[in-house]
Amino acid sequence: VKNLNDKIALYQERITQLEKENEVLQGKNATLTHERDSTSAQNTVLKREASVLHAGNIRLEPIHLKRSGKEVHTSKARKVDVLRITFDILENRIAESGNKAIYVRIIAPGGSTLSNAANASGNLTSAQGSAIPYSVMKDVALTKGTPINNITLDWKQDGDYEKGNYTIEIYNEGYKVGTGSVNMR
């Protein structure tokens, strides 16, 4: 009986030791789970930011449309009928294939964003959550890892263009991905 009581005491001592070790391991497990979740969330944010498309080779061309239908480049604001915006989407190996929305904001010399209901102007939400007015939106078909060249948008304004510098901002996923400007006299 004494021998069995000694074994029981030894087992109880071992159980107490194992329970303490289990508490330590549960604490470490909770810490590792929190770190894993935090790292996973950071990875998701980084992947989202890396998948944002970038515009390059941005070209702006003020065009006068002649009666014959011929398009002529002009720099005189009073003669401009169409503002042609052409740009490329650079290669992105992270972004998934599919249709991507590209928003173009045309800012007049006075600082206002040009808008026209016929061109489906509206507001986009920036990555920081604020509303940004845009002039025109275009969906582009993206193939992962392949650039898209010569995306063209024409902006036709109801009234005359003002003299001065027009700024173009291009957005994707709420981020500004390119800018350009043209000066019309």
Side-chain angles (χ1 to χ4, degrees):
V1 170
K2 182 182 184 300
N3 194 13
L4 286 176
N5 284 337
D6 288 343
K7 283 186 177 181
I8 289 173
L10 191 67
Y11 286 141
Q12 286 176 340
E13 199 176 289
R14 181 69 179 143
I15 288 171
T16 304
Q17 180 185 5
L18 289 173
E19 285 175 344
K20 287 179 183 177
E21 288 176 11
N22 191 27
E23 286 179 26
V24 169
L25 290 174
Q26 285 177 344
K28 286 181 180 178
N29 189 21
T31 301
L32 290 173
T33 300
H34 176 72
E35 288 175 2
R36 181 203 64 206
D37 293 345
S38 175
T39 303
S40 178
Q42 288 174 345
N43 186 27
T44 302
V45 168
L46 288 174
K47 186 174 180 181
R48 180 176 182 260
E49 289 176 1
S51 68
V52 172
L53 305 177
H54 293 280
N57 195 19
I58 301 169
R59 302 166 308 277
L60 306 168
E61 185 179 9
I63 297 173
H64 172 64
L65 300 173
K66 291 195 169 200
R67 289 188 179 150
S68 65
K70 185 177 178 183
E71 296 179 353
V72 178
H73 176 77
T74 184
S75 61
K76 295 182 180 177
R78 63 182 167 80
K79 287 190 174 187
V80 175
D81 295 313
V82 174
L83 185 59
R84 181 160 293 152
I85 305 154
T86 306
F87 58 94
D88 300 335
I89 297 295
L90 307 177
E91 175 183 1
N92 187 319
R93 295 182 183 163
I94 306 288
E96 295 297 322
S97 298
N99 284 341
K100 305 293 180 184
I102 303 293
Y103 299 92
V104 177
R105 181 179 183 202
I106 304 170
I107 303 170
S112 63
T113 301
L114 299 182
S115 63
N116 185 339
N119 289 331
S121 298
N123 288 318
L124 69 102
T125 304
S126 74
Q128 293 77 27
S130 61
I132 299 173
Y134 67 88
S135 303
V136 64
M137 188 270 291
K138 182 168 186 158
D139 281 325
V140 295
L142 177 75
T143 302
K144 187 174 185 174
T146 305
I148 305 171
N149 295 322
N150 298 321
I151 297 170
T152 302
L153 296 164
D154 286 345
W155 175 260
K156 295 179 183 177
Q157 188 164 291
D158 289 338
D160 293 334
Y161 287 89
E162 299 176 41
K163 292 179 181 180
N165 195 41
Y166 286 80
T167 303
I168 309 299
E169 296 177 345
I170 302 172
Y171 290 85
N172 176 250
E173 302 287 332
Y175 293 94
K176 187 189 313 182
V177 298
T179 60
S181 64
V182 64
N183 190 16
M184 292 190 275
R185 43 187 178 95

